[in-house]
Amino acid sequence: MKYWLIKSEPDCYSIDDLKRDKKTAWTGVRNYQARNFIREMKVGDLIIYYHSSANPPSAAGVAKVVKAPYAEKEPLWSAVDVGFVEKFENPLTLPVIKINPKLDGMMVTQQGSRLSVQPVSKEHFEVIRKLGMVVSRP
DNA sequence: GCCAACGTTGGC
DNA sequence: GCCAACGTTGGC
C-alpha cells in the first residue's frame, strides 16, 4: 500500500467536483516522472488531493486509486481512475504544511517542485489526514 | 498578473 | 551532448 499526492487546480477540478462525480479518470499527465509514479499506483492506494494555484494552496481531501494504471495515449502516457474518499473539514494550507515539523521533507513543500503526482510517506499521509479531519473550534 | 524555477525542444 | 530559447507550473 502506497501513498501519493496529486495536484489539481480547484478552478479546473476540485475536491468538490470529485465528491460530486464519485470518481474521475486522472488523465493529462505529461511529465515523465509523474507518469512513472502513476504507473506504480495500485488499486486501494490513498491519495492526498492537493489544490494548487489556489488562495491559499491546500491539502483539500483524500482520494484513492480505484482503477489500475492504463495506457492513455499508447504507448507513452498513463492514467488511473481516482475515487472520492473524503473532503477535509479543515484543509491544510501550504504555509501550515511548511511550518509543521512532522511534515518536513515533503516534496510539495520543496521549492520549485512542480511534480503533479508525488509519492508521500505513510507518516506524512497520516499526519495530514489527521489534521485535515480535525475541526478547529474557537 | 508577475516571475522564478523547472522541463522540454531543437540547433549546432 | 551541450545549451539557449521557449513553454509551463505554481506560489505569491
Side-chain angles (χ1 to χ4, degrees):
Chain A
M1 165 88 150
K2 290 187 176 170
Y3 302 88
W4 309 94
L5 178 148
I6 59 178
K7 296 180 185 173
S8 179
E9 300 191 20
D11 289 347
C12 180
Y13 195 84
S14 73
I15 188 77
D16 291 316
D17 294 321
L18 183 61
K19 184 176 185 179
R20 182 197 60 221
D21 296 343
K22 307 281 196 297
K23 68 168 193 171
T24 192
W26 208 254
T27 59
V29 171
R30 293 293 181 270
N31 171 287
Y32 290 103
Q33 221 182 330
R35 180 205 66 184
N36 293 342
F37 287 136
I38 282 186
R39 289 181 175 176
E40 290 179 35
M41 288 182 174
K42 296 214 164 61
V43 171
D45 283 1
L46 290 171
I47 303 169
I48 301 285
Y49 198 96
Y50 179 84
H51 281 168
S52 65
S53 295
N55 270 313
S58 65
V62 176
K64 67 182 173 187
V65 179
V66 295
K67 183 178 173 185
Y70 51 91
E72 182 197 346
K73 275 196 104 194
E74 290 279 14
L76 224 44
W77 302 111
S78 298
V80 289
D81 289 356
V82 302
F84 176 78
V85 175
E86 70 202 12
K87 180 185 175 182
F88 287 156
E89 296 285 328
N90 183 38
L92 265 76
T93 66
L94 185 59
V96 167
I97 293 172
K98 281 181 173 170
I99 276 173
N100 192 324
K102 287 182 184 165
L103 298 174
D104 274 357
M106 284 193 67
M107 288 182 89
V108 76
T109 60
Q110 275 153 36
Q111 180 178 22
S113 175
R114 293 166 32 179
L115 257 192
S116 59
V117 178
Q118 314 177 353
V120 174
S121 73
K122 183 177 189 205
E123 291 74 23
H124 287 163
F125 178 88
E126 285 171 353
V127 169
I128 287 182
R129 187 177 204 178
K130 196 170 177 181
L131 292 174
M133 294 306 287
V134 170
V135 185
S136 46
R137 295 193 173 81

